[in-house]
Amino acid sequence: FTVKHGLREPIFGPKAAESIPMWVADMDLPCAPEIVAALRRRTEHPTFGYTYQPMQIWEAVRNWLLQQHNWEVDVDAFVFAPGVVTAFAAALWAVTEPGDTVL
């Protein structure tokens, strides 16, 4: 059911079946049962719009950063981003000026 396995031959031709698919972002690993259960609960609601982030989420992130990296961050410093690309773009806009070069 994944592009990586199901579409290798249609996309890359018959020799692709002999290859080892090593993609940039492998997402076809088994998911934790708790996550599957949470997704099932969430999909019972008929609307899939943007959600809000309760304070408990930011507190959990803050605690993890403190425990794992000894980095104390105020929860007011966190900003929600719907994806990695969006977050990266926002970070670039925050620290660069038009015309700046970025590696």
Side-chain angles (χ1 to χ4, degrees), residues 26-60:
D26 284 335
M27 299 302 294
D28 56 348
L29 303 170
C31 193
E34 296 83 359
I35 295 172
V36 173
L39 286 170
R40 284 191 177 123
R41 283 192 307 274
R42 176 62 184 95
T43 59
E44 290 175 6
H45 192 282
T47 304
F48 296 109
Y50 291 107
T51 59
Y52 70 97
Q53 297 74 47
M55 186 55 68
Q56 298 96 314
I57 290 175
W58 300 121
E59 290 168 355

Side-chain angles (χ1 to χ4, degrees), residues 11-34:
I11 292 174
F12 301 109
K15 292 250 183 212
E18 302 168 15
S19 67
I20 300 172
M22 299 177 72
W23 294 28
V24 173
D26 284 335
M27 299 302 294
D28 56 348
L29 303 170
C31 193
E34 296 83 359

